[in-house]
Amino acid sequence: MTIDLRRAARWHRPLMFLVYAMAALAVVCAVGIVVDPRVLVGAPIWLKPFKFAVSFVLYGVTLAWMLSLLPRRSRLAERMATLIVAVAAVENVVIVGQVVRGQTSHFNDSTPLNTALFAAMGAAIGVLFLAHLVLGIVVLIRRIPDLVARRAVGWGLGLSLLGMVAAVPMALPGQDPGIEGVAGAHSVGVPDGGAGLPLVGWSTMGGDLRIGHFVGLHALQALPVLAILLNRFATRLDERTRARLVVVAGAAYGVLTVMLTWQALRGQALLRPDAVTLAAVAALVVATATAAALVLARRRRSGLALAA
């Protein structure tokens, strides 16, 4: 399980084109953050498209790399990846177009046009979810030869779907802030646009549903990185043990995603956990450490049995 950057340009070409286009857009948006003084919902107006561009760079290059791991090509998976590229293009055109117009792209119900654009984005994300799901099923069926990579890719694809689902409450009726022309919110218990963490903007005063959404989505990168590190630095462990450790990490990561969303839905800021949240985090840490220890103990027992 390696990453050969010299071959990256020959990975799935539409996905790599998306990566290059989003990288260029990120640069444009970074310039916009500096030179455009406009502020929207408490943040520089170009910050949202910047974050989306960077996110799609990571998403696109990760999917392209995962497809390169398959033992043989899958036309269905490649078509789903191309569909994802088309959906990403629609999403970013709307976001950037709304910035140019000085309008919010999300939860904007102020005019028929803004409502239609937000609805189009919602439909696009629905298509992306289904395409990602189909692609993930194909990748699992094709069975990547490296067991550690197979586990990391499978859990990463699945948990990124969980991350997408974590965003659904943002647009549900319970998130209606009662403001005319606004049909949803990131924050819970406080208005959007208040005090937030640097760059990401996550609320420091109330719950923020973007946190679980972000963490879940980036399981797509986190678990493969863990697998690469295990294969590189834990060579004394056999392949099956390393794969089991990835499963333990994936399960813990999924529980963490759910916990962060649960914390946000209770109107609780990430950095202001109450006793219940701290107890849940402690239980997760203990359970994860125990599971990892059991995996390593099983490996040692197997080694002793073979030696005997």
Side-chain angles (χ1 to χ4, degrees):
M1 182 183 180
T2 58
I3 300 178
D4 187 351
L5 294 178
R6 292 170 297 181
R7 299 181 56 193
R10 295 195 295 276
W11 294 345
H12 188 270
R13 294 188 183 278
L15 279 173
M16 294 310 295
F17 177 79
L18 174 68
V19 169
Y20 303 142
M22 291 297 100
L25 177 60
V27 173
V28 171
C29 293
V31 173
I33 291 171
V34 175
V35 303
D36 191 337
R38 290 181 297 167
V39 173
L40 196 61
V41 195
I45 198 168
W46 286 97
L47 182 59
K48 181 181 286 290
F50 173 79
K51 291 191 291 187
F52 269 75
V54 172
S55 181
F56 272 112
V57 167
L58 294 173
Y59 183 63
V61 76
T62 305
L63 283 186
W65 169 70
M66 287 178 173
L67 289 176
S68 76
L69 297 178
L70 295 179
R72 60 187 187 280
R73 288 182 60 188
S74 167
R75 292 188 181 277
L76 178 58
E78 291 179 353
R79 287 170 181 166
M80 291 299 101
T82 301
L83 180 58
I84 287 171
V85 172
V87 168
V90 171
E91 186 88 358
N92 283 278
V93 165
V94 172
I95 292 172
V96 173
Q98 289 292 77
V99 166
V100 172
R101 296 178 63 229
Q103 297 285 323
T104 57
S105 53
H106 289 70
F107 318 127
N108 194 336
D109 196 29
S110 59
T111 68
L113 174 59
N114 289 331
T115 300
L117 289 173
F118 182 45
M121 291 175 64
I125 289 300
V127 173
L128 187 148
F129 181 93
L130 293 175
H132 182 108
L133 174 62
V134 173
L135 188 153
I137 292 171
V138 172
V139 169
L140 291 178
I141 292 173
R142 287 298 175 93
R143 296 177 67 85
I144 295 169
D146 185 315
L147 180 61
V148 184
R150 190 190 314 159
R151 294 287 183 267
V153 169
W155 278 88
L157 287 167
L159 290 174
S160 57
L161 287 173
L162 177 63
M164 295 180 197
V165 172
V168 171
M170 298 180 192
L172 293 180
Q175 279 296 98
D176 187 346
I179 301 172
E180 185 177 355
V182 181
H186 301 127
S187 302
V188 180
V190 294
D192 278 351
L197 295 175
L199 187 59
V200 291
W202 299 337
S203 177
T204 56
M205 303 303 294
D208 199 314
L209 292 165
R210 290 174 295 184
I211 302 171
H213 176 54
F214 174 91
V215 170
L217 284 179
H218 291 290
L220 200 64
Q221 291 82 36
L223 292 175
V225 166
L226 173 62
I228 291 170
L229 292 175
L230 286 172
N231 280 346
R232 175 67 178 83
F233 297 108
T235 52
R236 296 181 64 180
L237 300 177
D238 61 273
E239 183 183 50
R240 192 167 296 278
T241 298
R242 282 178 269 137
R244 287 171 178 154
L245 288 174
V246 169
V247 171
V248 170
Y253 199 102
V255 173
L256 176 63
T257 300
V258 173
M259 283 176 52
L260 289 170
T261 304
W262 167 67
Q263 181 186 17
L265 287 170
R266 292 162 57 219
Q268 190 177 114
L270 176 66
L271 301 182
R272 296 185 177 185
D274 62 11
V276 175
T277 301
L278 290 174
V281 171
L284 175 59
V285 170
V286 170
T288 304
T290 301
L294 289 173
V295 168
L296 295 174
R298 179 175 180 177
R299 177 254 178 183
R300 284 195 291 271
R301 286 196 300 269
S302 298
L304 290 173
L306 289 173

